[in-house]
Amino acid sequence: FPSHDNDAWTSYTPTITGASLGNGTLDAKYKQIGKTVFVRFKFTLGSTSSINGCTITKPITSVTPPSASAIAPCALRDTGVAAYIGIVAEADTTTFYIANLKVDTTYPTYPAITSTTPFTWGSGDEISFTCIYEAA
């Protein structure tokens, strides 16, 4: 079997809806091996960045995902204070969305993040994840 460990990651610039990069930083990369797509994503807020929901375009169109398809955990970091577990889910064949894992009910839910949940976002805070999905 050929090894793909040394294949280069490709940078991409996703369209992010519900968030503004401002003077923050974005590091988004992917690698495709056959029909498997690997994605690494890190959004670090700057002083002029904002969050009020967050959908992110995929680098490669996927197969149609199952309804409410959570595909990976996501780190939501309130830098210097706490880290929270979020969820990366597939909204459709071209878009991910980020949700907050909420466990204060009988059954955990994952509502969309907002400007104040799971915390009030500010400079230095981060959203990061690594996920895998199937290309169309």
Side-chain angles (χ1 to χ4, degrees):
F1 293 102
S3 172
H4 296 282
D5 291 343
N6 295 322
D7 289 354
W9 287 79
T10 302
S11 293
Y12 84 106
T13 304
T15 298
I16 302 173
T17 305
S20 171
L21 182 59
N23 64 348
T25 60
L26 177 65
D27 183 22
K29 296 182 178 174
Y30 74 98
K31 180 190 292 194
Q32 183 173 0
I33 300 172
K35 292 184 70 77
T36 303
V37 180
F38 303 84
V39 177
R40 293 189 319 210
F41 178 91
K42 183 177 179 183
F43 178 111
T44 304
L45 281 73
S47 61
T48 63
S49 303
S50 65
I51 298 283
N52 194 15
C54 190
T55 61
I56 304 158
T57 55
K58 298 174 182 178
I60 304 288
T61 300
S62 72
V63 296
T64 301
S67 178
S69 175
I71 60 171
C74 176
L76 307 173
R77 290 188 183 89
D78 189 2
T79 301
V81 179
Y84 298 83
I85 297 172
I87 299 293
V88 177
E90 293 182 284
D92 54 39
T93 61
T94 60
T95 311
F96 299 120
Y97 70 92
I98 305 299
N100 175 43
L101 182 61
K102 186 175 179 182
V103 293
D104 62 353
T105 60
T106 301
Y107 300 101
T109 59
Y110 48 99
I113 60 174
T114 70
S115 61
T116 58
T117 58
F119 51 87
T120 300
W121 297 85
S123 185
D125 294 343
E126 298 176 354
I127 297 172
S128 62
F129 65 85
T130 300
C131 70
I132 302 168
Y133 67 91
E134 183 182 357

